[in-house]
Amino acid sequence: MTDVTTADPGDRTRGSDYAGLSRRIVQAGLLERRPGYYAVRLGLVGALFAGGWTAFFLIGDSWYQIPVAVFLAVVFAQIALVAHDLAHRQVFRSRRSSEIAGLVAGNLVIGMSYGWWMDKHTRHHANPNHEDHDPDVSPEVLIWSERQARASRGIARFIGRWEAFLFFPLLTLEGLNLHVSSFRALRRPSLRNRAVEGLLLVVHVAAYLGAVFAVLPVGKALVFLALHQAVFGVYLGCTFAPNHKGMPMLTGEDELDFLRRQVLTSRNVRGGWLVDNALGGLNYQIEHHLFPSMPTPNLRRAQPIVRAYCEELGVEYLETGLLRSYAQALRHMHAVGAPLRAGRRATPPEAAVGAGAPAE
């Protein structure tokens, strides 16, 4: 399995552009580890996780468990963001330490296969928004381009007509989808540590369901589980959706070097301390894709360097507000579904990179 931290400078056409930026980032010391930051972050997230479950057991059989379910969903999403940083080896230098911590955070604590997600995310980083190679834009349920609309069948074709309106409701199922996909991944011989991953997933499910049904009667337990998983899915979806959705879609005809492939398909989201923490630093998506092993707190410091460098090269650097990022993504989804609503086949998408990005 390819390491998710690998920064393949890609095509060597104009490869010196990335090398020049990399030198500036290294000289600024922005790739150095931040152990103090991660010690505080891991400690805080761990305390919130323990506090949430302590409150759950203390409250007991009560509808006051509703806000606890929402709170724990937010904490689960924050743990997923920590697992993301572990996969990129932003926290620990060694692969083994990162993997052990990732298995605990992913498989045991939130029930998501660390190895499966890491493989999927590695392929995304290598080819963001590439119709043939990025699993995050695979047209299994949603479609992301007119070419995918033309080829869509079954549920994707049905949902594609109105996917912009169905996007957020569908996110309520994303938490469940992550759990199901994690167990399905255990059938793959290529999955590292399959036995360990499977054991930790089973322990998570047994402890999670056992705790909920031991404290709550069946009706309240089902409401708790449904709300917890729904909010978890929506939170994760709202964290990742602003980054690439609605940005240019690439095909095999697009030949871009590493820097342009990452910058032109990514979108940054403006915001202060609240947005930075709510999105786990992924609002600096351009910087993250260029330097995936860069610790989260350094992304903000890297932004002005990267933006100025892109301006020097004449490479478009897109940054927008959080709500506008969602609006851009939804407009794009509605546009690619237009041919399906009209009951006709779509015309071939424009070959020019940038056709999918709504204007600011």
Side-chain angles (χ1 to χ4, degrees):
M1 180 171 58
T2 305
D3 195 325
V4 77
T5 63
T6 301
D8 171 19
D11 324 300
R12 289 298 174 178
T13 307
R14 306 172 76 179
S16 60
D17 287 342
Y18 178 77
L21 175 60
S22 183
R23 283 192 295 270
R24 297 187 188 185
I25 293 295
V26 170
Q27 289 170 0
L30 297 178
L31 295 181
E32 297 177 2
R33 294 292 186 273
R34 296 289 298 274
Y37 164 82
Y38 279 108
V40 172
R41 181 176 172 187
L42 292 174
L44 180 59
V45 172
L48 292 174
F49 178 80
W53 283 111
T54 298
F56 173 81
F57 286 111
L58 290 177
I59 292 173
D61 181 5
S62 169
W63 286 111
Y64 285 112
Q65 294 286 13
I66 295 298
V68 175
V70 174
F71 175 80
L72 281 173
V74 172
V75 174
F76 269 46
Q78 284 292 320
I79 294 172
L81 292 172
V82 168
H84 168 270
D85 288 8
L86 288 165
H88 283 292
R89 286 168 62 178
Q90 297 175 16
V91 184
F92 303 108
R93 191 175 300 276
S94 76
R95 176 175 179 172
R96 179 170 177 77
S97 298
S98 300
E99 189 171 59
I100 292 173
L103 288 170
V104 172
N107 293 60
L108 182 60
V109 178
I110 63 174
M112 180 184 72
S113 169
Y114 176 75
W116 161 76
W117 180 86
M118 183 172 173
D119 175 70
K120 176 174 175 286
H121 197 60
T122 298
R123 289 183 283 129
H124 160 69
H125 265 264
N127 291 283
N129 271 23
H130 194 292
E131 293 187 32
D132 302 317
H133 303 305
D134 183 357
D136 287 355
V137 293
S138 174
E140 296 176 359
V141 176
L142 300 173
I143 55 175
W144 305 103
S145 72
E146 290 189 2
R147 190 176 78 160
Q148 290 181 346
R150 288 201 309 277
S152 64
R153 296 290 184 274
I155 189 171
R157 190 171 186 83
F158 175 77
I159 291 178
R161 292 178 173 87
W162 305 104
E163 63 181 7
F165 299 95
L166 296 173
F167 179 68
F168 286 107
L170 285 172
L171 286 182
T172 61
L173 301 176
E174 182 59 20
L176 179 62
N177 176 57
L178 289 175
H179 302 313
V180 172
S181 296
S182 295
F183 275 97
R184 290 175 59 188
L186 296 176
R187 297 180 299 182
R188 302 178 186 173
S190 60
L191 182 68
R192 284 170 51 88
N193 305 312
R194 272 202 301 171
V196 174
E197 291 231 9
L199 175 62
L200 293 177
L201 286 174
V202 169
V203 170
H204 166 81
V205 172
Y208 175 61
L209 295 181
V212 172
F213 282 101
V215 171
L216 299 176
V218 174
K220 289 178 182 174
L222 292 177
V223 171
F224 181 94
L225 293 172
L227 182 60
H228 178 243
Q229 292 300 318
V231 176
F232 174 50
V234 171
Y235 189 163
L236 279 186
C238 288
T239 297
F240 288 93
N243 304 334
H244 301 280
K245 308 311 181 191
M247 295 301 291
M249 294 289 293
L250 306 181
T251 67
E253 299 174 356
D254 298 304
E255 297 183 2
L256 298 175
D257 68 323
F258 178 76
L259 183 144
R260 288 163 179 78
R261 186 163 69 241
Q262 304 299 335
V263 174
L264 294 176
T265 60
S266 302
R267 176 199 294 113
N268 274 17
V269 176
R270 285 191 295 269
W273 178 88
L274 180 60
V275 172
D276 287 0
N277 285 277
L279 301 187
L282 295 181
N283 46 315
Y284 302 104
Q285 189 68 191
I286 294 173
E287 289 72 28
H288 171 61
H289 261 256
L290 289 170
F291 303 98
S293 64
M294 180 182 292
T296 293
N298 290 350
L299 294 171
R300 173 186 282 272
R301 295 168 55 198
Q303 184 186 32
I305 299 175
V306 174
R307 183 165 48 197
Y309 192 79
C310 288
E311 290 176 359
E312 293 176 19
L313 297 177
V315 176
E316 183 178 3
Y317 180 105
L318 181 60
E319 183 181 29
T320 186
L322 182 62
L323 295 181
R324 181 168 290 189
S325 72
Y326 294 131
Q328 291 176 355
L330 293 175
R331 283 201 300 269
H332 172 79
M333 295 172 71
H334 194 61
V336 299
L340 299 180
R341 292 192 299 276
R344 60 179 174 78
R345 291 191 175 275
T347 56
E350 296 180 8
V353 173
E360 277 282 335

